[in-house]
Amino acid sequence: MSNKISKIGVFTSGGDAPGMNAAIRAVVRACAYYKVECVGVLRGYEGMIEGDFEQLDARSVGNILQRGGTVLKSARSKEFRTPEGRLKALGKLRSEGIDALIAIGGDGTFTGLHKFYQEFAIPSICIPGTIDNDLSGTDYTIGYDTATNTAVEAIDKIRDTALSHNRLFFIEVMGRNSGYIAINSGIAGGAAAIVIPEETMTFEELYKILGEGEETNKKSNLVVVAEGSKIGDAHTLAKKVAERSSYFDIKVTVLGHLQRGGAPTYFDRVLASRMGIAAVEGLLDGKNDVMVGIKDNKIVYNDFDTIMQSHHEIDDESLRIAKILSI
Protein backbone atom coordinates (compact mmCIF):
# COMPACT_ATOMS: atom_id res chain seq x y z
CA MET A 1 0.00 0.00 0.00
CA SER A 2 1.15 3.52 -0.71
CA ASN A 3 1.11 5.14 2.71
CA LYS A 4 1.17 8.94 2.46
CA ILE A 5 -1.11 9.30 5.47
CA SER A 6 0.52 9.54 8.89
CA LYS A 7 -2.38 10.23 11.29
CA ILE A 8 -6.03 9.24 10.96
CA GLY A 9 -8.84 10.74 13.00
CA VAL A 10 -11.85 8.53 13.74
CA PHE A 11 -15.21 9.71 15.10
CA THR A 12 -18.84 8.72 15.52
CA SER A 13 -21.70 11.06 14.74
CA GLY A 14 -25.50 11.14 14.77
CA GLY A 15 -27.50 8.39 16.45
CA ASP A 16 -25.50 5.68 18.18
CA ALA A 17 -25.72 2.08 16.97
CA PRO A 18 -24.58 -1.21 18.54
CA GLY A 19 -21.29 -2.21 16.92
CA MET A 20 -19.84 1.28 16.65
CA ASN A 21 -17.24 0.37 19.28
CA ALA A 22 -16.26 -2.70 17.30
CA ALA A 23 -15.71 -0.44 14.27
CA ILE A 24 -13.62 2.02 16.33
CA ARG A 25 -11.52 -0.89 17.63
CA ALA A 26 -10.96 -2.20 14.11
CA VAL A 27 -9.91 1.23 12.80
CA VAL A 28 -7.44 1.75 15.65
CA ARG A 29 -5.90 -1.71 15.39
CA ALA A 30 -5.68 -1.52 11.61
CA CYS A 31 -3.83 1.78 12.03
CA ALA A 32 -1.45 0.12 14.48
CA TYR A 33 -0.93 -2.79 12.07
CA TYR A 34 -0.03 -0.43 9.22
CA LYS A 35 2.01 1.82 11.53
CA VAL A 36 -0.23 4.86 11.20
CA GLU A 37 -1.15 7.03 14.19
CA CYS A 38 -4.80 7.14 15.20
CA VAL A 39 -6.66 9.86 17.09
CA GLY A 40 -10.18 9.63 18.44
CA VAL A 41 -12.33 12.72 17.88
CA LEU A 42 -14.75 12.93 20.80
CA ARG A 43 -18.38 14.04 20.31
CA GLY A 44 -18.34 14.00 16.53
CA TYR A 45 -18.16 17.26 14.59
CA GLU A 46 -18.72 19.28 17.76
CA GLY A 47 -15.57 17.78 19.28
CA MET A 48 -13.69 18.39 16.04
CA ILE A 49 -14.50 22.10 16.24
CA GLU A 50 -13.42 22.23 19.88
CA GLY A 51 -10.27 20.14 19.38
CA ASP A 52 -11.47 17.39 21.71
CA PHE A 53 -9.01 14.67 20.69
CA GLU A 54 -7.66 11.51 22.31
CA GLN A 55 -4.63 9.52 21.19
CA LEU A 56 -5.59 5.88 20.58
CA ASP A 57 -3.51 2.74 20.27
CA ALA A 58 -4.14 -1.00 20.12
CA ARG A 59 -4.34 -1.33 23.91
CA SER A 60 -6.61 1.66 24.48
CA VAL A 61 -9.45 -0.01 22.59
CA GLY A 62 -9.30 -3.28 24.51
CA ASN A 63 -12.55 -4.54 26.05
CA ILE A 64 -14.86 -2.34 23.97
CA LEU A 65 -15.80 -4.86 21.27
CA GLN A 66 -18.82 -6.15 23.22
CA ARG A 67 -20.09 -2.78 24.46
CA GLY A 68 -23.06 -0.92 23.03
CA GLY A 69 -23.07 2.81 22.38
CA THR A 70 -19.87 4.58 21.39
CA VAL A 71 -16.84 5.24 23.59
CA LEU A 72 -16.05 8.29 21.46
CA LYS A 73 -19.51 9.75 22.23
CA SER A 74 -21.73 11.38 19.66
CA ALA A 75 -23.31 14.79 19.21
CA ARG A 76 -25.05 16.85 16.59
CA SER A 77 -23.36 20.10 15.60
CA LYS A 78 -25.18 23.12 14.19
CA GLU A 79 -21.91 25.01 13.99
CA PHE A 80 -20.32 22.46 11.64
CA ARG A 81 -23.08 23.20 9.15
CA THR A 82 -21.63 26.69 8.72
CA PRO A 83 -18.48 27.57 6.71
CA GLU A 84 -17.04 29.22 9.83
CA GLY A 85 -17.56 26.07 11.89
CA ARG A 86 -15.92 23.85 9.31
CA LEU A 87 -12.97 26.25 9.09
CA LYS A 88 -12.53 26.00 12.87
CA ALA A 89 -12.58 22.22 12.61
CA LEU A 90 -9.92 22.31 9.89
CA GLY A 91 -7.67 24.43 12.08
CA LYS A 92 -7.97 22.01 15.01
CA LEU A 93 -7.25 19.00 12.79
CA ARG A 94 -4.17 20.67 11.34
CA SER A 95 -2.92 21.62 14.80
CA GLU A 96 -3.20 17.96 15.82
CA GLY A 97 -1.52 16.77 12.62
CA ILE A 98 -4.56 14.74 11.52
CA ASP A 99 -4.40 14.29 7.75
CA ALA A 100 -7.28 11.85 7.12
CA LEU A 101 -10.70 11.11 8.62
CA ILE A 102 -12.93 8.08 9.15
CA ALA A 103 -16.53 8.79 10.17
CA ILE A 104 -18.96 6.20 11.55
CA GLY A 105 -22.60 7.19 11.22
CA GLY A 106 -25.54 7.68 8.87
CA ASP A 107 -26.45 9.91 5.95
CA GLY A 108 -26.24 13.14 7.96
CA THR A 109 -22.71 12.24 9.04
CA PHE A 110 -21.75 11.47 5.45
CA THR A 111 -23.24 14.69 4.14
CA GLY A 112 -21.12 16.69 6.58
CA LEU A 113 -17.91 14.84 5.72
CA HIS A 114 -18.59 15.11 1.99
CA LYS A 115 -18.93 18.89 2.30
CA PHE A 116 -15.73 19.00 4.34
CA TYR A 117 -13.89 17.00 1.69
CA GLN A 118 -15.18 19.24 -1.09
CA GLU A 119 -13.91 22.35 0.70
CA PHE A 120 -10.57 21.14 2.04
CA ALA A 121 -9.75 17.85 0.25
CA ILE A 122 -8.89 16.00 3.45
CA PRO A 123 -8.85 12.26 2.64
CA SER A 124 -11.96 10.74 4.17
CA ILE A 125 -14.02 7.55 4.26
CA CYS A 126 -17.34 6.77 5.92
CA ILE A 127 -18.50 3.61 7.67
CA PRO A 128 -22.30 3.04 7.78
CA GLY A 129 -23.38 2.88 11.43
CA THR A 130 -27.16 3.15 11.77
CA ILE A 131 -29.82 0.77 13.04
CA ASP A 132 -32.19 1.73 10.18
CA ASN A 133 -30.29 -0.18 7.45
CA ASP A 134 -31.47 2.50 5.04
CA LEU A 135 -28.23 3.38 3.23
CA SER A 136 -27.79 2.24 -0.36
CA GLY A 137 -24.47 0.73 -1.33
CA THR A 138 -24.47 -1.85 1.43
CA ASP A 139 -26.61 -4.87 2.26
CA TYR A 140 -26.28 -4.19 5.99
CA THR A 141 -25.40 -1.27 8.22
CA ILE A 142 -23.73 -1.60 11.62
CA GLY A 143 -26.32 -1.89 14.39
CA TYR A 144 -29.27 -3.08 12.30
CA ASP A 145 -28.92 -6.76 13.20
CA THR A 146 -28.69 -6.03 16.94
CA ALA A 147 -31.63 -3.61 16.90
CA THR A 148 -33.80 -6.10 15.04
CA ASN A 149 -32.90 -8.90 17.45
CA THR A 150 -33.77 -6.60 20.36
CA ALA A 151 -37.16 -5.88 18.77
CA VAL A 152 -37.83 -9.59 18.20
CA GLU A 153 -37.01 -10.40 21.82
CA ALA A 154 -39.44 -7.71 22.99
CA ILE A 155 -42.16 -8.92 20.61
CA ASP A 156 -41.78 -12.48 21.91
CA LYS A 157 -42.27 -11.28 25.47
CA ILE A 158 -45.28 -9.16 24.55
CA ARG A 159 -46.83 -12.15 22.78
CA ASP A 160 -46.66 -14.12 26.06
CA THR A 161 -48.85 -11.59 27.83
CA ALA A 162 -51.09 -11.10 24.78
CA LEU A 163 -51.88 -14.83 24.74
CA SER A 164 -52.93 -14.66 28.39
CA HIS A 165 -55.69 -12.21 27.51
CA ASN A 166 -57.83 -11.32 24.50
CA ARG A 167 -55.41 -8.59 23.53
CA LEU A 168 -54.32 -6.69 20.48
CA PHE A 169 -50.89 -5.10 20.85
CA PHE A 170 -49.58 -2.31 18.66
CA ILE A 171 -45.78 -2.44 18.94
CA GLU A 172 -43.89 0.57 17.61
CA VAL A 173 -40.29 0.09 16.51
CA MET A 174 -37.75 2.58 15.18
CA GLY A 175 -37.69 3.45 11.52
CA ARG A 176 -38.54 7.04 10.63
CA ASN A 177 -37.97 6.54 6.90
CA SER A 178 -37.13 2.86 6.75
CA GLY A 179 -39.19 -0.20 7.59
CA TYR A 180 -36.34 -2.71 7.78
CA ILE A 181 -36.56 -3.26 11.54
CA ALA A 182 -40.36 -3.45 11.39
CA ILE A 183 -40.66 -5.86 8.46
CA ASN A 184 -38.08 -8.34 9.70
CA SER A 185 -38.92 -8.21 13.40
CA GLY A 186 -42.58 -8.50 12.42
CA ILE A 187 -41.97 -11.62 10.33
CA ALA A 188 -39.74 -13.16 13.01
CA GLY A 189 -42.21 -12.25 15.76
CA GLY A 190 -45.31 -13.55 14.01
CA ALA A 191 -47.09 -10.21 13.60
CA ALA A 192 -50.58 -10.20 12.13
CA ALA A 193 -49.77 -6.99 10.28
CA ILE A 194 -46.70 -4.85 9.68
CA VAL A 195 -46.99 -1.14 8.90
CA ILE A 196 -43.94 0.49 7.30
CA PRO A 197 -43.21 3.87 5.65
CA GLU A 198 -42.45 2.31 2.26
CA GLU A 199 -45.77 0.50 1.82
CA THR A 200 -49.08 2.06 0.84
CA MET A 201 -51.26 0.12 3.29
CA THR A 202 -54.35 2.09 4.26
CA PHE A 203 -56.04 2.05 7.65
CA GLU A 204 -59.02 0.26 6.08
CA GLU A 205 -56.73 -2.51 4.84
CA LEU A 206 -55.18 -2.85 8.28
CA TYR A 207 -58.61 -2.94 9.91
CA LYS A 208 -59.72 -5.64 7.47
CA ILE A 209 -56.76 -7.83 8.46
CA LEU A 210 -57.65 -7.46 12.13
CA GLY A 211 -61.33 -8.10 11.39
CA GLU A 212 -60.46 -11.37 9.68
CA GLY A 213 -58.70 -12.43 12.86
CA GLU A 214 -61.83 -11.62 14.84
CA GLU A 215 -63.96 -13.72 12.45
CA THR A 216 -61.69 -16.74 12.90
CA ASN A 217 -61.75 -16.37 16.69
CA LYS A 218 -58.13 -15.29 16.94
CA LYS A 219 -57.41 -14.72 20.64
CA SER A 220 -54.49 -12.33 20.30
CA ASN A 221 -52.93 -10.16 17.64
CA LEU A 222 -49.71 -8.22 17.24
CA VAL A 223 -49.25 -5.31 14.87
CA VAL A 224 -45.71 -4.01 14.35
CA VAL A 225 -45.58 -0.36 13.34
CA ALA A 226 -42.52 1.57 12.14
CA GLU A 227 -42.40 4.99 13.76
CA GLY A 228 -42.50 6.63 10.32
CA SER A 229 -45.76 4.95 9.29
CA LYS A 230 -47.75 7.15 6.93
CA ILE A 231 -51.14 6.11 8.40
CA GLY A 232 -50.26 6.96 12.00
CA ASP A 233 -48.07 5.88 14.87
CA ALA A 234 -48.95 3.01 17.21
CA HIS A 235 -51.04 5.16 19.56
CA THR A 236 -53.00 6.72 16.70
CA LEU A 237 -53.75 3.36 15.08
CA ALA A 238 -54.75 1.80 18.41
CA LYS A 239 -57.20 4.63 19.08
CA LYS A 240 -58.77 4.35 15.61
CA VAL A 241 -59.25 0.58 15.96
CA ALA A 242 -60.73 0.96 19.46
CA GLU A 243 -63.29 3.44 18.12
CA ARG A 244 -64.60 0.81 15.70
CA SER A 245 -64.26 -2.51 17.55
CA SER A 246 -64.54 -3.78 21.12
CA TYR A 247 -63.42 -7.33 20.32
CA PHE A 248 -59.84 -6.83 21.49
CA ASP A 249 -58.41 -5.31 24.63
CA ILE A 250 -55.97 -2.95 22.93
CA LYS A 251 -52.53 -2.10 24.29
CA VAL A 252 -49.60 -0.10 22.92
CA THR A 253 -45.87 -0.62 23.47
CA VAL A 254 -43.30 1.78 22.05
CA LEU A 255 -39.84 0.20 22.13
CA GLY A 256 -38.04 3.48 21.44
CA HIS A 257 -34.37 3.81 22.33
CA LEU A 258 -34.31 0.36 23.87
CA GLN A 259 -33.38 -0.75 20.34
CA ARG A 260 -30.21 1.34 20.28
CA GLY A 261 -28.63 -0.17 23.37
CA GLY A 262 -27.17 -3.48 24.41
CA ALA A 263 -24.23 -5.64 23.36
CA PRO A 264 -23.93 -6.01 19.58
CA THR A 265 -24.66 -9.39 18.04
CA TYR A 266 -21.84 -11.48 16.59
CA PHE A 267 -22.98 -10.35 13.12
CA ASP A 268 -22.62 -6.65 13.94
CA ARG A 269 -19.24 -7.22 15.60
CA VAL A 270 -17.85 -9.03 12.56
CA LEU A 271 -19.43 -6.57 10.11
CA ALA A 272 -18.00 -3.60 12.02
CA SER A 273 -14.58 -5.22 12.22
CA ARG A 274 -14.47 -5.85 8.48
CA MET A 275 -15.64 -2.35 7.65
CA GLY A 276 -13.23 -0.69 10.08
CA ILE A 277 -10.23 -2.43 8.54
CA ALA A 278 -11.52 -1.73 5.02
CA ALA A 279 -11.82 1.99 5.83
CA VAL A 280 -8.17 2.25 6.89
CA GLU A 281 -6.97 0.18 3.95
CA GLY A 282 -9.08 2.25 1.59
CA LEU A 283 -7.51 5.49 2.79
CA LEU A 284 -4.02 4.04 2.48
CA ASP A 285 -4.87 2.92 -1.05
CA GLY A 286 -5.90 6.45 -2.00
CA LYS A 287 -9.68 6.13 -1.84
CA ASN A 288 -11.50 9.32 -0.83
CA ASP A 289 -15.03 10.61 -0.30
CA VAL A 290 -16.48 7.09 -0.30
CA MET A 291 -18.49 4.84 2.00
CA VAL A 292 -17.45 1.32 2.85
CA GLY A 293 -20.21 -1.19 2.18
CA ILE A 294 -20.80 -4.90 2.01
CA LYS A 295 -22.46 -6.50 -1.01
CA ASP A 296 -22.89 -10.24 -1.37
CA ASN A 297 -20.53 -10.63 1.61
CA LYS A 298 -17.76 -8.67 -0.13
CA ILE A 299 -16.36 -5.26 0.79
CA VAL A 300 -17.17 -2.47 -1.68
CA TYR A 301 -16.53 1.27 -1.80
CA ASN A 302 -19.35 3.62 -2.88
CA ASP A 303 -18.93 7.23 -3.94
CA PHE A 304 -21.03 9.85 -2.16
CA ASP A 305 -23.45 10.48 -5.05
CA THR A 306 -24.28 6.78 -5.31
CA ILE A 307 -25.18 6.65 -1.62
CA MET A 308 -27.32 9.77 -1.49
CA GLN A 309 -29.23 9.44 -4.76
CA SER A 310 -31.04 6.26 -3.79
CA HIS A 311 -32.54 4.50 -0.78
CA HIS A 312 -31.93 0.93 0.38
CA GLU A 313 -35.30 -0.47 -0.60
CA ILE A 314 -37.15 -3.31 1.12
CA ASP A 315 -37.46 -6.17 -1.33
CA ASP A 316 -40.86 -7.33 -2.56
CA GLU A 317 -40.19 -10.85 -1.33
CA SER A 318 -40.16 -9.70 2.31
CA LEU A 319 -43.50 -7.94 1.81
CA ARG A 320 -44.95 -11.03 0.13
CA ILE A 321 -43.83 -13.32 2.94
CA ALA A 322 -45.27 -10.99 5.58
CA LYS A 323 -48.63 -10.97 3.79
CA ILE A 324 -48.82 -14.77 3.53
CA LEU A 325 -47.87 -15.32 7.17
CA SER A 326 -50.41 -12.82 8.52
CA ILE A 327 -53.35 -15.23 7.97
Side-chain angles (χ1 to χ4, degrees):
M1 296 185 180
S2 65
N3 184 357
K4 297 180 180 178
I5 292 170
S6 60
K7 187 181 287 191
I8 294 174
V10 59
F11 65 98
T12 53
S13 178
D16 61 300
M20 279 185 164
N21 286 327
I24 294 166
R25 174 180 179 269
V27 168
V28 174
R29 293 198 169 178
C31 284
Y33 182 84
Y34 289 111
K35 296 179 170 47
V36 176
E37 286 187 73
C38 189
V39 173
V41 181
L42 303 179
R43 297 178 296 107
Y45 291 118
E46 194 71 11
M48 194 182 297
I49 290 170
E50 296 176 7
D52 196 356
F53 304 132
E54 180 181 337
Q55 196 74 29
L56 300 174
D57 58 32
R59 300 287 74 82
S60 64
V61 290
N63 201 36
I64 69 169
L65 179 70
Q66 75 282 10
R67 292 168 57 184
T70 162
V71 296
L72 293 180
K73 309 300 181 186
S74 185
R76 303 187 189 277
S77 176
K78 290 183 179 180
E79 190 175 4
F80 192 81
R81 297 176 185 176
T82 68
E84 296 79 12
R86 292 191 293 274
L87 194 59
K88 283 184 188 177
L90 177 68
K92 296 294 184 180
L93 292 175
R94 284 178 172 170
S95 296
E96 185 67 22
I98 296 171
D99 49 16
L101 291 170
I102 294 175
I104 307 167
D107 54 2
T109 301
F110 299 171
T111 300
L113 195 58
H114 173 67
K115 184 69 175 177
F116 202 58
Y117 176 77
Q118 284 184 315
E119 292 176 337
F120 306 117
I122 292 182
S124 57
I125 282 184
C126 297
I127 297 174
T130 167
I131 66 171
D132 289 338
N133 202 40
D134 59 345
L135 295 171
S136 64
T138 186
D139 291 336
Y140 302 103
T141 59
I142 295 167
Y144 162 67
D145 187 70
T146 305
T148 305
N149 274 285
T150 298
V152 170
E153 183 180 353
I155 291 167
D156 287 346
K157 291 177 178 179
I158 290 168
R159 178 176 293 283
D160 288 344
T161 188
L163 287 169
S164 300
H165 306 270
N166 192 35
R167 279 183 175 162
L168 165 61
F169 269 90
F170 285 86
I171 305 167
E172 186 173 297
V173 299
M174 282 186 162
R176 185 177 57 209
N177 300 309
S178 170
Y180 265 99
I181 294 175
I183 193 72
N184 286 304
S185 66
I187 291 172
I194 303 167
V195 186
I196 59 175
E198 296 91 337
E199 200 178 17
T200 56
M201 178 186 287
T202 65
F203 174 74
E204 292 302 323
E205 289 170 330
L206 172 62
Y207 189 77
K208 182 181 177 183
I209 292 171
L210 298 176
E212 289 169 353
E214 181 178 342
E215 290 171 6
T216 57
N217 200 32
K218 199 168 186 178
K219 295 302 182 186
S220 68
N221 255 337
L222 301 178
V223 177
V224 175
V225 184
E227 63 181 332
S229 157
K230 292 181 174 63
I231 61 172
D233 61 18
H235 284 286
T236 299
L237 294 176
K239 182 179 179 182
K240 290 173 75 173
V241 171
E243 288 171 350
R244 294 176 60 170
S245 173
S246 59
Y247 178 75
F248 286 112
D249 177 16
I250 300 175
K251 303 292 181 183
V252 177
T253 300
V254 178
L255 299 186
H257 285 75
L258 176 73
Q259 296 155 92
R260 288 198 185 277
T265 60
Y266 100 88
F267 184 88
D268 273 330
R269 298 183 199 194
V270 173
L271 178 67
S273 298
R274 291 180 68 184
M275 287 183 168
I277 291 171
V280 173
E281 291 179 342
L283 282 175
L284 299 182
D285 274 340
K287 293 180 174 61
N288 288 302
D289 199 28
V290 296
M291 182 194 83
V292 176
I294 190 151
K295 285 282 191 180
D296 299 323
N297 204 30
K298 294 180 181 178
I299 289 291
V300 295
Y301 297 90
N302 307 271
D303 62 54
F304 178 82
D305 289 337
T306 299
I307 305 163
M308 303 309 291
Q309 286 177 2
S310 59
H311 186 78
H312 189 194
E313 301 292 342
I314 291 177
D315 61 279
D316 292 337
E317 181 67 3
S318 294
L319 296 173
R320 188 181 75 87
I321 289 171
K323 184 176 181 180
I324 291 171
L325 294 176
S326 68
I327 293 176

